[in-house]
Amino acid sequence: MTNAPTLFERIIARDIPAEIVYEDGDYIVIKDIAPKAPIHLLVIPKKFSARIDDVTDEAEMGRLWLTASRVARQQLGDYRLVINAGKGGGQEVFHTHIHILGGWEGGHSVGFGE
Ligand code: 5GP
């Protein structure tokens, strides 16, 4: 039995359209379809894992964060990185991803709200 591809696997396969801002052999970065900040990107490893704590390889974890911080710096300069893990943590798509949020005028240093 094969598992159905995740939403993000379908985006990676170009089966579902998305605005791609960065791609290499291992990662894709897309614009979020329902942005929660003026700029909202998703950094998605092409290798499937359901959630961040399923990534157990140190090099993989390191490359994921390096990719997210590098693309965030290039695209935004200043930014916030967020991960939702599990339903209780607000995760809706069970394919590991890092949110890049930013583009707030004059900074966004107080609290974690919108
Ligand atoms: P999560 O809640 O799992 O951490 O984040 C999933 C994110 O995926 C949400 O911010 C949601 O807006 C975004 N999303 C859901 N469906 C699509 C889609 O079809 N295309 C894109 N680009 N983003 C999506």
Side-chain angles (χ1 to χ4, degrees):
M1 198 178 92
T2 55
N3 289 328
T6 66
L7 170 67
F8 291 158
E9 284 174 318
R10 296 186 66 193
I11 285 174
I12 291 161
R14 308 303 200 265
D15 188 20
I16 292 176
E19 279 192 71
I20 299 167
V21 301
Y22 173 83
E23 184 169 21
D24 63 24
D26 296 322
Y27 302 94
I28 191 168
V29 182
I30 61 170
K31 290 190 181 174
D32 197 292
I33 205 168
K36 283 85 181 172
I39 298 173
H40 186 172
L41 309 176
L42 302 171
V43 183
I44 304 162
K46 293 185 177 179
K47 182 180 168 191
F48 173 75
S49 56
R51 42 187 278 171
I52 189 71
D53 39 67
D54 287 337
V55 178
T56 52
D57 183 82
E58 287 182 14
E60 267 177 41
M61 186 68 92
R63 284 203 315 274
L64 173 58
W65 284 100
L66 278 172
T67 302
S69 55
R70 203 180 65 240
V71 172
R73 181 70 183 259
Q74 283 167 353
Q75 296 284 325
L76 284 148
D78 297 339
Y79 53 86
R80 174 179 293 168
L81 301 181
V82 171
I83 293 181
N84 299 322
K87 231 177 159 187
Q91 186 173 7
E92 290 171 2
V93 178
F94 282 78
H95 181 140
T96 298
H97 54 283
I98 298 180
H99 296 258
I100 300 174
L101 300 157
W104 300 285
E105 233 176 280
H108 193 72
S109 61
V110 181
F112 288 94
E114 302 295 312

